[in-house]
Amino acid sequence: MTAPLEAAEPAAAQAAGPAGDDRPARHGVLRYALTKAGGALLSIAMVIIATFFLFRLLPGDPVRNLAQGRNMTPEQLDLERRRLGLDKPLTDQFFDFVGQTLRLDLGTSYEYKRPVLDLIGERLGPTLLLAGVGLFIAVSLGLWQGTRAGWRPGSRFDRFSTATSLVLWSVPTFWLGLLLLMVFGAWLKIFPSRGIESVDAPDGFGYVLDVAWHMVLPCLTLVGVVYAQYLLVMRSSLLDEVGQDYINTARAKGMRDDEVRRRHAVPNALLPTVTLVFMRIGFVVGGAVTVETVFSWPGLGKLFYDAISVPDFTLMQGTFMLITVAVIVMNTLADVVYHILDPRVRSA
Amino acid sequence: MSAITWTRRKRALGRFWDGFRRQRAGVTGLAILVVAVALAVVAPLFIDEGVTSVVENTGPDFAPPSLEYPFGTDESGRSILLMVWWGARTSLLIGFLAALVSMAIGTILGIAAGHFRGWIGAAIMRVTDWFLVLPSLITALVLAAILGGSTFTIIMAIGVTSWPSTARLIRAQTLAVEARPYIERSKALGGGHWHITTRHVLPNVAPLLLASTTLEVASAIVTESTLAFLGVTANKTSWGTMLRGSYDWNAAGQGAWWYILIPGLCILAVVMAFTLCGRALETVLNPRLRGTKA
């Protein structure tokens, strides 16, 4: 591969800029960050515009399609259309929509009769808790197991890990949830099958334990589906490092095997993996929607699902935009952080 | 086509098959796929839409597996075995067609982005990157919900949200192919855009395309079942809608494990088969992976 070339680049960059003058580099990072931020803003603008057209211009009548198979009278349909401003000229609708969105006014929910932003604010906490804890466990477990598997390719542990992750990778998230629900919720009755808290939840520390107890199954489902890909990516990026010259050099110096792994191979393999973790954050979000639906977890994903099944047009549009924008922001951050961390990319 | 070309192609195919045959997992996957597709195709010879009808089926509700109902029955006394068999048609059809749509968009835009440098290529990549960053399941859900559930809209919703990674892959490959001298020769001989992209680039990216289509079908089937579970369906029985039914009717609480297990195992088996096949194809066809242990 192009490894020798890549390795030569930072050396060349250092030779070009002696006397420890790191100003150009830092300047480069800032410019890079600004470019990326500009790109992200453009993407967000595209999301807002696309949302507008998606919800108003697609063939057919969105209100009718959403109401498909549900009991709504023509008067109700008409009322819904007027409430959404669908009877106004399109240009007026567009500027109204963009103006409101920029002022963070996402409209009022049809189902809950409350501002969409308030609803989202209420549901944000449970989602961040579930997705955060799930992501943390998935990343730690995936990186650890991927490292062990990739360091000894072909070993029993490696074969076992690869096989497990292929199975988990093929399992639909919701089905894994249903299985756990059936085994631990319905048969063994060890864990609650729905919600975030018991009806008679105690206060204080007891409440924390109660929530944690409710979180076990949803979290397990999310981790199970998400961590497989981290494992595979970490394994393959470690495999890329194993054959490199610097690893042989480190061995030749007489370092112990796990020291070579810990101090040389893993830090280099970690970089692409961690970026990928953040780049694929959209996948985690999709998983969260499914998991929250299966376990009736009162988070953003459940809110989004409910909006689709009611159907609640404004709520659906608001949650869609918020989730998408959040994913774009996180991807951009990951991009910039990667740029700062990896000298090879920085000098290129 | 001259005889030489055909001999050469036949030989290349033979080499490819030799390589593929050595991938044990890939062959297993292929075998499962052949069986699954064959079963789905011959289904109408033995059963019909009637197996999904609540009225026509009068078996006991939630009956455990028995001789009469090898995989048990659901909440309306329908045989899970027959439902799974009939549902395979919808699941596989949507999986294949959605992957095809995704591949078509990805290939056309990928080749265009790689072939036309300058602002056209840049604009296409900008759009691709934008689609890449969108959470695909969420977007597919919104699309399918707004367009209304039919087989066609579900296929489109999955296809339109899953093409960007293919486009990137194909673009990279196109750039690599177009850097070769024979493309320059072809241009010098008067080959236009159409000639170069269809006669030189497309055949060169085709092997990679085959591998990634196979993987794409796997993920399209998973997406279809997830959409169906989340209530956005084509109103036809598929493995996803069956699982939705098991959730709605609280099969877990009723102890009807077969209702949850069987459709899910079908999804798992088919998706794993596609994944194994795709990985084996990748190993055989991707020159970068050739000869490495991974």
Side-chain angles (χ1 to χ4, degrees):
Chain A
M1 267 181 44
T2 56
L5 230 170
E6 278 175 32
E9 267 174 325
Q14 268 175 11
D21 182 16
D22 65 349
R23 268 220 324 264
R26 212 169 267 170
H27 186 70
V29 169
L30 190 66
R31 207 173 62 183
Y32 184 80
L34 285 177
T35 320
K36 280 288 157 191
L41 282 180
L42 191 66
S43 293
I44 291 173
M46 276 162 83
V47 166
I48 295 177
I49 296 169
T51 308
F52 175 80
F53 286 105
L54 192 67
F55 280 79
R56 279 160 196 81
L57 276 192
L58 279 174
D61 181 348
V63 174
R64 185 176 296 273
N65 278 336
L66 283 172
Q68 212 176 39
R70 286 149 187 131
N71 279 327
M72 277 175 106
T73 62
E75 288 77 30
Q76 278 174 310
L77 289 177
D78 231 38
L79 192 73
E80 179 73 349
R81 263 180 222 120
R82 229 189 347 257
R83 209 179 52 80
L84 295 164
L86 292 176
D87 50 346
K88 283 198 252 175
L90 204 64
T91 40
D92 286 15
Q93 284 185 41
F94 181 73
F95 287 113
D96 281 357
F97 174 75
V98 172
Q100 282 171 0
T101 307
L102 289 183
R103 272 180 270 120
L104 286 181
D105 172 8
L106 298 177
T108 309
S109 157
Y110 170 79
E111 172 76 358
Y112 298 88
K113 315 265 184 267
R114 291 176 50 204
V116 168
L117 201 65
D118 289 5
L119 287 167
I120 290 177
E122 273 168 24
R123 301 296 195 93
L124 200 59
T127 293
L128 286 181
L129 181 68
L130 177 65
V133 173
L135 196 62
F136 178 75
I137 298 176
V139 169
S140 334
L141 197 65
L143 295 191
W144 173 79
Q145 205 177 334
T147 308
R148 261 200 76 181
W151 195 242
R152 300 242 180 286
S155 66
R156 188 176 296 169
F157 185 82
D158 178 38
R159 286 201 309 265
F160 171 75
S161 300
T162 314
T164 333
S165 42
L166 273 179
V167 172
L168 284 173
W169 173 248
S170 310
V171 166
T173 316
F174 69 92
W175 188 58
L176 187 64
L178 288 179
L179 286 183
L180 291 174
L181 205 64
M182 182 171 74
V183 175
F184 295 103
W187 287 356
L188 302 175
K189 295 193 188 348
I190 306 176
F191 295 111
S193 56
R194 51 188 298 126
I196 188 171
E197 55 188 27
S198 310
V199 186
D200 52 349
D203 290 335
F205 186 64
Y207 181 73
V208 176
L209 280 182
D210 187 52
V211 171
W213 184 52
H214 278 78
M215 207 165 73
V216 172
L217 290 186
C219 208
L220 208 60
T221 313
L222 196 60
V223 170
V225 175
V226 171
Y227 106 99
Q229 55 172 334
Y230 300 153
L231 190 164
L232 289 176
V233 173
M234 185 65 197
R235 176 181 177 272
S236 70
S237 63
L238 194 70
L239 272 178
D240 277 350
E241 304 295 335
V242 166
Q244 303 275 353
D245 290 342
Y246 72 87
I247 299 285
N248 289 336
T249 312
R251 285 230 171 83
K253 281 193 304 191
M255 278 177 101
R256 272 182 299 124
D257 187 60
D258 62 296
E259 235 178 352
V260 177
R261 181 179 70 190
R262 221 182 43 240
R263 307 245 315 257
H264 290 270
V266 170
N268 280 310
L270 213 52
L271 217 45
T273 318
V274 170
T275 327
L276 223 91
V277 167
F278 282 97
M279 286 293 173
R280 298 244 178 105
I281 207 91
F283 184 81
V284 179
V285 171
V289 172
T290 324
V291 169
E292 286 182 7
T293 306
V294 174
F295 293 96
S296 304
W297 186 262
L300 263 188
K302 183 76 168 65
L303 189 69
F304 179 66
Y305 165 74
D306 287 342
I308 286 181
S309 30
V310 170
D312 189 332
F313 196 83
T314 342
L315 187 57
M316 193 168 142
Q317 174 182 287
T319 30
F320 172 68
M321 280 197 292
L322 184 101
I323 292 175
T324 314
V325 167
V327 170
I328 291 177
V329 169
M330 279 196 264
N331 273 304
T332 312
L333 280 180
D335 229 5
V336 172
V337 169
Y338 182 47
H339 195 79
I340 293 171
L341 289 181
D342 193 341
R344 285 175 299 193
V345 182
R346 206 190 315 156
S347 63
Chain B
M1 291 281 161
S2 63
I4 297 178
T5 328
W6 277 113
T7 330
R8 209 174 58 206
R9 288 206 178 143
K10 225 185 266 171
R11 228 177 260 160
L13 201 69
R15 262 205 312 278
F16 160 70
W17 179 242
D18 273 350
F20 188 79
R21 232 176 26 192
R22 249 170 260 145
Q23 305 282 329
R24 247 179 42 219
V27 174
T28 317
L30 189 65
I32 297 175
L33 282 187
V34 170
V35 172
V37 171
L39 279 177
V41 169
V42 301
L45 297 178
F46 300 97
I47 53 175
D48 57 41
E49 195 81 48
V51 299
T52 64
S53 156
V54 193
V55 190
E56 286 177 36
N57 294 280
T58 49
D61 300 350
F62 290 128
S66 61
L67 273 179
E68 197 184 351
Y69 300 105
F71 288 156
T73 62
D74 70 354
E75 80 281 350
S76 315
R78 295 174 289 184
S79 163
I80 299 283
L81 172 70
L82 297 181
M83 293 259 290
V84 159
W85 192 6
W86 191 253
R89 298 163 57 79
T90 311
S91 296
L92 288 174
L93 186 76
I94 292 183
F96 272 114
L97 290 183
L100 214 65
V101 170
S102 160
M103 286 298 128
I105 304 177
T107 310
I108 293 171
L109 291 184
I111 290 184
H115 182 76
F116 300 103
R117 320 278 165 79
W119 70 269
I120 298 182
I124 295 176
M125 281 328 281
R126 178 73 235 176
V127 173
T128 308
D129 284 346
W130 182 68
F131 266 97
L132 196 64
V133 90
L134 288 183
S136 54
L137 181 70
I138 311 265
T139 317
L141 256 177
V142 167
L143 270 178
I146 293 178
L147 290 171
S150 74
T151 311
F152 178 74
T153 50
I154 303 277
I155 291 170
M156 281 330 243
I158 299 174
V160 159
T161 49
S162 58
W163 59 269
S165 49
T166 313
R168 297 211 72 148
L169 182 78
I170 296 299
R171 174 179 170 268
Q173 189 71 5
T174 305
L175 288 175
V177 171
E178 293 214 352
R180 292 181 198 160
Y182 75 90
I183 297 288
E184 202 175 337
R185 171 189 163 276
S186 177
K187 270 186 201 151
L189 288 172
H193 294 306
W194 180 252
H195 175 84
I196 289 175
T197 47
T198 55
R199 281 307 169 93
H200 296 303
V201 177
L202 195 58
N204 272 296
V205 300
L208 256 184
L209 208 57
L210 181 66
S212 70
T213 307
T214 316
L215 293 173
E216 186 54 49
V217 178
S219 79
I221 290 178
V222 171
T223 311
E224 187 274 331
S225 69
T226 308
L227 289 180
F229 179 76
L230 293 174
V232 186
T233 63
N235 294 324
K236 283 205 177 107
T237 300
S238 74
W239 297 332
T241 52
M242 290 181 70
L243 287 169
R244 172 73 211 194
S246 81
Y247 182 71
D248 281 344
W249 292 93
N250 191 20
Q254 304 269 358
W257 52 267
W258 53 91
Y259 196 2
I260 298 172
L261 207 60
I262 303 298
L265 283 179
C266 289
I267 299 177
L268 183 63
V270 168
V271 169
M272 273 209 52
F274 273 109
T275 311
L276 291 178
C277 255
R279 281 171 64 101
L281 283 175
E282 242 177 7
T283 318
V284 177
L285 297 172
N286 191 344
R288 258 193 61 204
L289 295 177
R290 212 176 280 157
T292 58
K293 267 188 287 183

